[in-house]
Amino acid sequence: AYTMVVYFEDLNEMYDGSVLFIPITVAGIYELSNNFLWRPWITGGPTINGADVTFQQRKAGYVYGGMALERDLTVVSEEGPTNNYTLINTNGNYNEYASVLIEDLMAGLRPPLTGGRGCWKNATFLPKDTFTSWSFVECGLVVGFPYRLFVFATDEFYSENGRMVSVPVVAPYSNKFTAGPTILYGPH
């Protein structure tokens, strides 16, 4: 929190004016119900089955996770919705240019989330300052397509006023050609 100090003086310039103290709260990290000490990062995989992620949230609370194709994400805006495909981010809940809705992640809604039940983490209570590793499995990722693995940390009251972050995930090819295929002999 900040305090704005305003000094009022008349035209006589006698330095006998009044001082007014106005408290100011800046939207963002200080208003969030939870945040991350260590943002999520990929610690295993990725494969077509999924990926492993590790993170550390700031406060005790519930954490959710899920995977979504980048093309299925919604644009995030500071100003507010310009259409039905824009998320409002006036409080800084979203840390990305495009995201899934917090309520969709909390509900495990498919789409935009992808994969089976093992590719979604539902309301897992974690104590504060705890390093946590999760395995996302049954994701059914398409090789070469860009996905985002989302983790949302909130408070002990399941509020939607926490922090949503994501990490990029692309399942690699299991093998590749060193040279393009060629026809050695023509048709018989």
Side-chain angles (χ1 to χ4, degrees), residues 88-112:
I88 302 172
N89 195 35
T90 54
N91 193 40
N93 299 99
Y94 296 94
N95 204 50
E96 318 297 335
Y97 166 75
S99 182
V100 296
L101 293 167
I102 289 172
E103 55 266 26
D104 288 352
L105 182 64
M106 292 174 81
L109 188 65
R110 287 166 178 78

Side-chain angles (χ1 to χ4, degrees), residues 100-178:
V100 296
L101 293 167
I102 289 172
E103 55 266 26
D104 288 352
L105 182 64
M106 292 174 81
L109 188 65
R110 287 166 178 78
L113 298 181
T114 188
R117 298 294 293 169
C119 200
W120 175 62
K121 304 300 181 190
N122 180 23
T124 304
F125 183 82
L126 299 171
K128 72 177 194 163
D129 301 334
T130 303
F131 274 104
T132 302
S133 293
W134 278 348
S135 291
F136 288 82
V137 296
E138 302 173 9
C139 295
L141 305 181
V142 178
V143 172
F145 278 71
Y147 292 83
R148 302 292 294 189
L149 194 157
F150 288 92
V151 180
F152 174 65
T154 188
D155 56 24
E156 297 171 329
F157 307 105
Y158 301 97
S159 81
E160 293 181 12
N161 192 31
R163 174 73 78 188
M164 172 88 87
V165 298
S166 73
V167 290
V169 174
V170 177
Y173 292 92
S174 63
N175 204 344
K176 62 182 179 181
F177 292 102
T178 56

Side-chain angles (χ1 to χ4, degrees), residues 66-78:
M67 188 95 63
L69 264 169
E70 280 191 5
R71 71 176 183 213
D72 293 338
L73 302 181
T74 303
V75 175
V76 177
S77 171
E78 296 288 335

